[in-house]
Amino acid sequence: MIVETLRVFVIVTEQRNFSRAAELLNLSQPGVSLHIRNLENEFGAKLMHRSPKLVKLTEAGEILYKRAKQILSLHQEAKQEIQLLNEKVTGSIQIGASFTIGEYILPRVLAQFAAQFPEVEMSVTIANTEEITQALKANKLDLGLVEGNVASSGMIITPYMKDEMILFTSAEHPLASKKTVKPDMLHDHIWILREIGSGTRAFSEQFIQAAGISIKRSYVFNSSQGVKEAVSAGLGIAILSRWIVRKELESGELCQITVIPKLLERNFWMLRNHDHASTMAVNMFIQKLIHNKS
């Protein structure tokens, strides 16, 4: 099987030595050499420069090594998923999510996971980033999905996906008629902000401070829905994830303000407590999250 030959190639590459690779693979050295020759014949290219002491990849070998690692990883994932067809995944998962993820992204993933593993019980806590982090530290959650920067000891922090942030206002606001807006045109406006501890609030404050924008006045809401409603009513301008306002933008109820230079993206993060034991149900849910990135 080509997968086995690719595995031999990867081990030889990482060990940089045929003899050590043969020992690890429990093969003879001529057997290892045969796998490499078969690969070179398959691709019609020399993959390795060999010497008695060292193995060095050619340019073609570097390309194949990168792809071989991906193929082996996908092969392992496929084996696990096929094995699960004959096994039941049970138990429970306590998930924490910040508002943007919990209200606009997570429900679709939960529905797909529930259809595949109906015997797993799931509960979701939606709160701001700081609250989710604290709940993970207290071992009240198995997994957290949050927005904004997270710097916390004892946490396994993994990038989950990118999120586009946009500045928007009501259709009647004076800025709505502008095709593009520079930061100095945002002085002395009323801003609608999320509460302190929210990843969206941190992003908004970072943008306002970096652009040197002076605020006439601000109103604070502890939910993105409250921010949307306040902006729609003409109270001011705000920054939220495109996930949150895309329907209102499509209907014309809200208008995006195109800022030059463009607002930066932010990361969504997957958080786990380093000391919290993971279960099969949690591991399978993490795989589902990774496979369903948008």
Side-chain angles (χ1 to χ4, degrees):
M1 187 177 182
I2 187 67
V3 169
E4 185 59 32
T5 300
L6 289 175
R7 184 175 288 109
V8 172
F9 172 74
V10 167
I11 296 297
V12 172
T13 299
E14 292 175 347
Q15 293 299 313
R16 296 177 178 271
N17 184 281
F18 275 68
S19 298
R20 286 198 298 269
E23 291 176 9
L24 288 173
L25 292 163
N26 198 27
L27 293 172
S28 66
Q29 188 168 332
V32 171
S33 297
L34 179 61
H35 277 289
I36 302 304
R37 283 200 302 272
N38 288 340
L39 272 180
E40 290 181 329
N41 290 335
E42 173 76 18
F43 290 100
K46 188 175 181 64
L47 300 174
M48 293 178 170
H49 296 298
R50 306 169 177 85
S51 71
K53 293 185 177 181
L54 189 66
V55 171
K56 184 178 180 181
L57 292 180
T58 64
E59 186 175 356
E62 293 284 359
I63 294 172
L64 181 59
Y65 175 69
K66 177 181 177 182
R67 297 305 184 188
K69 293 283 284 187
Q70 295 172 341
I71 291 168
L72 292 175
S73 177
L74 290 171
H75 178 260
Q76 184 61 31
E77 289 178 15
K79 284 180 63 177
Q80 291 176 355
E81 290 177 10
I82 290 170
Q83 288 171 355
L84 283 169
L85 292 176
N86 298 318
E87 299 177 10
K88 287 187 177 180
V89 178
T90 60
S92 62
I93 309 175
Q94 285 72 45
I95 306 162
S98 53
F99 286 91
T100 302
I101 301 171
E103 294 178 345
Y104 296 92
I105 299 172
L106 192 56
R108 173 175 54 86
V109 181
L110 288 173
Q112 294 174 357
F113 187 81
Q116 186 175 0
F117 304 110
E119 295 191 27
V120 176
E121 296 182 4
M122 293 178 285
S123 65
V124 178
T125 298
I126 298 179
N128 67 38
T129 296
E130 184 177 339
E131 291 167 333
I132 296 300
T133 303
Q134 293 304 316
L136 281 164
K137 285 184 176 180
N139 284 319
K140 295 179 180 179
L141 299 171
D142 297 306
L143 180 70
L145 296 166
V146 302
E147 57 215 61
N149 294 324
V150 179
S152 183
S153 60
M155 289 286 123
I156 301 172
I157 305 173
T158 308
Y160 170 43
M161 61 186 288
K162 293 289 186 179
D163 180 38
E164 181 186 2
M165 302 296 285
I166 66 169
L167 182 66
F168 67 99
T169 188
S170 65
E172 294 77 25
H173 194 280
L175 290 174
S177 61
K178 307 291 185 183
K179 289 186 177 180
T180 59
V181 169
K182 294 183 179 179
D184 60 7
M185 299 169 66
L186 299 175
H187 289 305
D188 300 324
H189 282 282
I190 297 173
W191 285 74
I192 314 300
L193 302 170
R194 283 287 306 277
E195 78 285 1
I196 292 175
S198 157
T200 299
R201 171 66 175 265
F203 185 95
S204 300
E205 288 183 337
Q206 184 179 7
F207 169 74
I208 291 168
Q209 183 177 2
I213 297 169
S214 59
I215 296 178
K216 180 179 180 180
R217 187 175 181 182
S218 64
Y219 294 92
V220 177
F221 289 79
N222 68 350
S223 74
S224 296
Q225 186 63 35
V227 172
K228 277 200 303 186
E229 293 296 332
V231 173
S232 181
L235 193 56
I237 60 177
I239 293 174
L240 286 177
S241 165
R242 182 176 290 278
W243 285 96
I244 298 173
V245 295
R246 57 182 178 175
K247 290 183 179 178
E248 289 81 2
L249 292 176
E250 290 171 1
S251 69
E253 180 183 347
L254 296 173
C255 293
Q256 179 179 354
I257 303 172
T258 303
V259 182
I260 305 296
K262 184 181 178 181
L263 285 179
L264 297 176
E265 293 178 325
R266 63 177 177 178
N267 276 315
F268 286 154
W269 303 95
M270 185 186 303
L271 307 182
R272 285 174 287 165
N273 188 328
H274 190 274
D275 298 325
H276 189 73
S278 187
T279 65
M280 174 66 80
V282 172
N283 291 338
M284 294 310 301
F285 186 74
I286 290 172
Q287 284 192 28
K288 178 65 69 175
L289 283 169
I290 293 171
H291 290 165
N292 283 270
K293 288 182 181 181
S294 299

